[in-house]
Amino acid sequence: MLSRLVFVSGIVVHASRCLHTSSQSLAPVPPLPEKGGKVRHGFIPEELFQLLYPKTGVTGPYMLGAGLLLYMLSKEIYVINHETFAAASIGAVIIYGVKKFGPSVGAFADKLNEEKVAKAQEVKDVAMSSLVQATEDEKKEQWRVEGRAMLFDAKRNNVAMLLETNYRERLHMVTNEVKRRLDYQIALQDLNRRLEQEHMINWVEKSVISSITPQQEKESIAKCITDLKVLAKATQAKATA
Amino acid sequence: MAGRRAALKAIDWTAFAERVPPNQRTMFNNLKTRSDAIAAKLTSLPEKPPAIDWSYYRSVVAKAGMVDEFEKKFSALKVPEPVDTQTAIINAQEEEANKTATAYIEASKARIAQYEKQLEKFKNMIAFDQMTIEDLNDTFPETKLDKEKHPYWPHKPIADL
């Protein structure tokens, strides 16, 4: 019965939560509001108080409530029996439990949800950053590929250098060979000349020695001895003087 | 001497080195050492051999006419240039490399387009705390629970929980 009251007041006042009257879907569906409708004392919606405020002021709804309660009790529309006390005790325990442990349980449930969302968010962030990185890498690879001409330039340079080196070596070889041949001729000439000279000298010596007769030999030896004597006297005289 | 001295292009080895990917670095180093060795050998050889002093030889060598004959034959001699067999091959290689390079760049561009598309999808996604399960299944089809294959809760193999 009270839920019907809430329902009615919901339609009247909450115009922002629209009914699905047309077949078109209003996507994205607006999210549910964070908190439920405001209530006083846990189950009486605030809208009732607002409704009655212009006519009866602040105490109006309370008087209405108290009056209704007294009316139901006195006319025995609601009969007090043993169920009343059971309901009262159970209600007391429930209210105590919810007031004590409600916030912490709510926080725990919220934390679970937060973790799920955070995990999903992290996955999304990692995916996005990896995609950005992959794009960067692809661009870098394209830049690298652009340098392929340099490789072939280097290769052609190498080939040209080798050819040039080979050609120069050939030139050098030709010159050196010609020089060697000419130097050989010169050396050959020198050798011939030297051999002739030596042979001539030997021959002259031999003929001179063979032409010395024994008579001449004795005369030359005697002359040498007299010369030596004269020299000895001269040196003796020099030594004593 | 037209074919000789094909102009040596100056190669910027540092810029070249930057473009080499790390997995080909050893090949690049080998190429560089070989090129440097060849260049060093080239610079060590003088361009022209020293000229032969014909007058000296003419005065020293006794045999008449020998030096003159040598001189005549020497100046008439034409050293043949070495034949270039490799440049054509290198040019063909370059053509092929250009073709593969363009193909690779095309594939790379396709990949980049793919990445961009996925990035756009991520950027235009609604925030996770605004999503319903249907929205999640639309954005990430892999999260959709296959209710035909596994009709009973939790709609996936127990091992995947």
Side-chain angles (χ1 to χ4, degrees):
Chain A
M1 178 183 131
L2 270 161
S3 58
R4 256 177 273 146
L5 189 64
V6 170
F7 185 59
V8 164
S9 63
I11 289 179
V12 164
V13 184
H14 288 278
S16 55
R17 300 287 306 162
C18 48
L19 295 176
H20 286 231
T21 45
S22 63
S23 58
Q24 294 165 334
S25 62
L26 307 140
V29 176
L32 291 171
E34 287 261 334
K35 306 234 174 276
K38 285 186 88 48
V39 286
R40 259 200 228 192
H41 305 296
F43 66 101
I44 307 168
E46 189 66 37
E47 280 78 16
L48 179 72
F49 291 84
Q50 300 303 324
L51 192 70
L52 294 175
Y53 179 76
K55 290 289 189 255
T56 57
V58 181
T59 51
Y62 292 108
M63 296 313 298
L64 177 65
L68 273 173
L69 187 63
L70 274 174
Y71 165 68
M72 289 206 295
L73 282 173
S74 68
K75 287 283 201 170
E76 297 244 322
I77 296 175
Y78 176 69
V79 178
I80 292 188
N81 53 12
H82 57 283
E83 297 283 338
T84 312
F85 290 99
S89 342
I90 290 171
V93 168
I94 287 175
I95 286 170
Y96 171 75
V98 164
K99 279 225 158 20
K100 191 89 187 290
F101 303 112
S104 57
V105 166
F108 172 72
D110 284 341
K111 196 157 70 77
L112 287 179
N113 220 20
E114 281 289 318
E115 274 171 18
K116 275 195 208 155
V117 168
K119 216 161 44 153
Q121 185 68 27
E122 196 188 310
V123 164
K124 175 184 168 186
D125 286 340
V126 163
M128 275 179 76
S129 63
S130 74
L131 280 174
V132 165
Q133 184 64 31
T135 322
E136 287 300 314
D137 287 341
E138 288 287 335
K139 293 214 170 86
K140 187 126 197 263
E141 286 302 310
Q142 283 187 6
W143 175 75
R144 278 200 216 271
V145 164
E146 277 168 22
R148 66 190 178 276
M150 286 200 245
L151 168 67
F152 294 104
D153 284 341
K155 278 182 147 183
R156 277 193 282 259
N157 267 9
N158 280 1
V159 166
M161 283 198 281
L162 281 173
L163 291 175
E164 180 69 21
T165 316
N166 198 334
Y167 180 71
R168 283 189 199 174
E169 272 176 11
R170 289 184 189 181
L171 283 177
H172 284 264
M173 193 174 74
V174 162
T175 314
N176 287 347
E177 284 297 307
V178 168
K179 251 215 185 91
R180 263 184 49 202
R181 301 270 185 283
L182 289 171
D183 288 341
Y184 170 73
Q185 289 298 322
I186 293 177
L188 196 63
Q189 273 174 222
D190 287 343
L191 180 69
N192 267 339
R193 211 183 160 73
R194 199 163 50 87
L195 281 178
E196 283 171 7
Q197 277 180 339
E198 278 181 17
H199 185 257
M200 173 94 46
I201 289 171
N202 284 345
W203 184 75
V204 167
E205 268 186 26
K206 223 180 351 177
S207 59
V208 166
I209 288 172
S210 58
S211 74
I212 298 177
T213 58
Q215 170 64 16
Q216 280 181 314
E217 206 162 332
K218 270 194 207 140
E219 275 182 23
S220 54
I221 286 179
K223 185 137 195 317
C224 289
I225 291 174
T226 40
D227 279 337
L228 276 171
K229 280 195 185 140
V230 169
L231 269 171
K233 276 203 197 116
T235 43
Q236 256 185 350
K238 258 206 217 125
T240 50
Chain B
M1 305 280 193
R4 220 188 103 199
R5 195 53 59 82
L8 288 175
K9 234 174 171 178
I11 293 193
D12 186 2
W13 286 101
T14 42
F16 192 5
E18 271 176 24
R19 300 214 189 214
V20 170
N23 63 343
Q24 294 175 357
R25 195 140 279 277
T26 35
M27 299 202 307
F28 170 74
N29 287 342
N30 291 346
L31 175 70
K32 183 151 198 295
T33 37
R34 266 187 295 135
S35 301
D36 289 343
I38 294 173
K41 190 137 171 275
L42 179 67
T43 47
S44 72
L45 282 175
E47 192 182 322
K48 289 208 177 323
I52 300 182
D53 193 356
W54 292 109
S55 45
Y56 166 71
Y57 282 115
R58 222 192 304 274
S59 57
V60 173
V61 174
K63 227 183 250 185
M66 183 186 224
V67 174
D68 293 327
E69 203 181 315
F70 269 41
E71 189 181 358
K72 202 158 49 133
K73 289 225 178 98
F74 180 73
S75 41
L77 176 68
K78 243 186 154 42
V79 180
E81 293 164 20
V83 178
D84 182 3
T85 51
Q86 297 299 319
T87 312
I89 298 178
I90 293 177
N91 286 345
Q93 280 179 349
E94 188 170 11
E95 287 300 311
E96 224 182 277
N98 279 347
K99 266 201 285 247
T100 46
T102 37
Y104 177 77
I105 290 185
E106 286 306 309
S108 172
K109 285 210 172 93
R111 277 196 289 271
I112 288 186
Q114 223 180 22
Y115 295 151
E116 296 278 314
K117 204 162 61 129
Q118 284 182 332
L119 204 63
E120 279 309 302
K121 184 185 97 168
F122 274 119
K123 279 210 189 110
N124 298 344
M125 206 169 75
I126 43 181
F128 283 111
D129 48 5
Q130 308 283 338
M131 270 194 207
T132 66
I133 296 291
E134 283 93 14
D135 291 335
L136 181 68
N137 291 346
D138 287 338
T139 322
F140 301 106
E142 60 265 17
T143 52
K144 198 162 159 62
L145 294 171
D146 193 349
K147 298 225 168 119
E148 279 103 46
K149 194 159 166 220
H150 307 278
Y152 298 110
W153 184 86
H155 304 293
K156 54 175 148 177
I158 302 282
D160 284 352
L161 272 175

